[in-house]
């Protein structure tokens, strides 16, 4: 993830100061201390956005809560992409012994792979079953991008990380209003129902 940021940083330096040579850029602090800049899993397991897509690469969507990730998931379902995220236990098939892509909601609801990307135990199961190597999922959705990036991808099965971000104050306000009515959530509190944010 940081690799993309650094790559864009280098590009912006080149545009701002044409006198910087490639040698000067490559001798930067980040290049001299890669262990301090970007996690090894990000350097080794993912491609920068500036490189062309591979023949078959599985995208890792970093789902930042209340930043549009559920909408993105819906869009990709409409585009007939196979998604690995989480489904209700009654229809998830997460106890199956092999990976399957299935349509739990019929033809109009998109395809899902029988893994739970919301828990570390679910991602470890996906790792043991070779989720990314199998090519069964087009896109993985998780809030734990570090764990997923380290355990599900490798040098032979590289992917890309994408995400949506939202202003932190807007995120908190949205979560506050959401939790006023989301009685299915563990963090729901009925005393918030009549509260104002002001």
């Amino acid at each position: 993830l940081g690799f993309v940021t650094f790559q864009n940083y280098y590009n912006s330096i080149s545009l701002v100061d044409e006198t910087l040579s490639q040698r000067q850029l490559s001798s930067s602090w980040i290049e001299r201390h890669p262990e301090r800049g970007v996690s090894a899993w990000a350097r080794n397991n993912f491609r920068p956005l500036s490189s062309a897509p591979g023949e078959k690469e599985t995208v890792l969507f970093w789902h930042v809560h209340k930043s549009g990730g559920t909408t993105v998931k819906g869009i990709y379902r409409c585009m007939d992409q196979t998604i690995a995220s989480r489904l209700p236990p009654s229809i998830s098939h997460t106890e199956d012994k092999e990976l399957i892509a299935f349509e739990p909601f019929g033809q109009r609801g998109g395809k899902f792979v029988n893994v739970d990307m919301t828990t570390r135990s679910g991602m470890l199961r996906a790792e043991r079953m070779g989720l990314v190597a199998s090519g069964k999922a087009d896109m993985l959705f998780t809030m734990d991008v570090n764990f997923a990036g380290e355990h599900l991808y490798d040098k032979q099965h590289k992917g890309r990380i994408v995400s949506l971000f939202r202003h932190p104050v807007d995120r908190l306000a949205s979560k506050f209003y959401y939790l006023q009515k989301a009685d299915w959530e563990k963090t729901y509190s009925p005393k918030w129902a009549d509260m104002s944010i002001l």
Side-chain angles (χ1 to χ4, degrees):
L1 196 57
F3 180 70
V4 173
T5 304
F6 297 142
Q7 189 71 28
N8 290 338
Y9 172 73
Y10 290 148
N11 292 341
S12 66
I13 288 176
S14 300
L15 294 173
V16 173
D17 185 355
E18 294 294 333
T19 63
L20 288 176
S21 69
Q22 186 62 37
R23 185 170 181 221
Q24 287 171 312
L25 289 176
S26 65
S27 66
S28 71
W29 186 88
I30 294 168
E31 291 291 324
R32 286 181 282 129
H33 304 284
E35 71 284 355
R36 296 184 191 170
V38 180
S39 299
W41 62 262
R43 257 192 332 273
N44 298 328
N45 300 348
F46 292 93
R47 293 184 176 96
L49 293 177
S50 59
S51 69
E55 186 175 313
K56 173 67 176 162
E57 61 184 34
T58 305
V59 175
L60 178 61
F61 185 88
W62 179 14
H63 189 159
V64 178
H65 201 59
K66 304 309 290 173
S67 293
T70 302
T71 301
V72 170
K73 196 182 301 181
I75 291 168
Y76 278 90
R77 285 173 57 185
C78 288
M79 294 172 59
D80 202 30
Q81 298 290 299
T82 303
I83 294 171
S85 62
R86 178 190 70 174
L87 290 168
S90 60
I91 59 171
S92 67
H93 293 279
T94 54
E95 301 301 318
D96 290 0
K97 300 295 181 205
E98 63 183 58
L99 287 174
I100 58 169
F102 64 107
E103 297 175 329
F105 309 111
Q107 292 181 340
R108 302 186 81 206
K111 293 180 189 165
F112 288 82
V113 178
N114 59 331
V115 294
D116 181 356
M117 295 294 297
T118 62
T119 66
R120 288 187 170 192
S121 61
M123 287 188 269
L124 288 173
R125 177 180 172 271
E127 177 186 24
R128 284 190 306 275
M129 297 177 85
L131 174 62
V132 173
S134 75
K136 289 191 183 288
D138 297 308
M139 185 172 257
L140 314 182
F141 285 79
T142 187
M143 292 183 194
D144 194 348
V145 69
N146 293 314
F147 195 81
E150 187 172 356
H151 288 273
L152 298 175
Y153 294 84
D154 57 41
K155 289 181 180 180
Q156 289 75 37
H157 305 98
K158 292 188 176 213
R160 269 175 223 276
I161 300 174
V162 297
S163 189
L164 289 178
F165 297 97
R166 186 177 183 183
H167 192 282
V169 174
D170 291 338
R171 284 182 56 222
L172 289 174
S174 176
K175 187 165 187 167
F176 174 77
Y177 289 120
Y178 171 75
L179 290 176
Q180 284 185 318
K181 58 185 178 220
D183 58 1
W184 55 89
E185 294 284 355
K186 292 177 188 174
T187 52
Y188 169 75
S189 178
K191 63 184 175 187
W192 290 8
D194 297 322
M195 289 177 92
S196 169
I197 212 166
L198 299 176

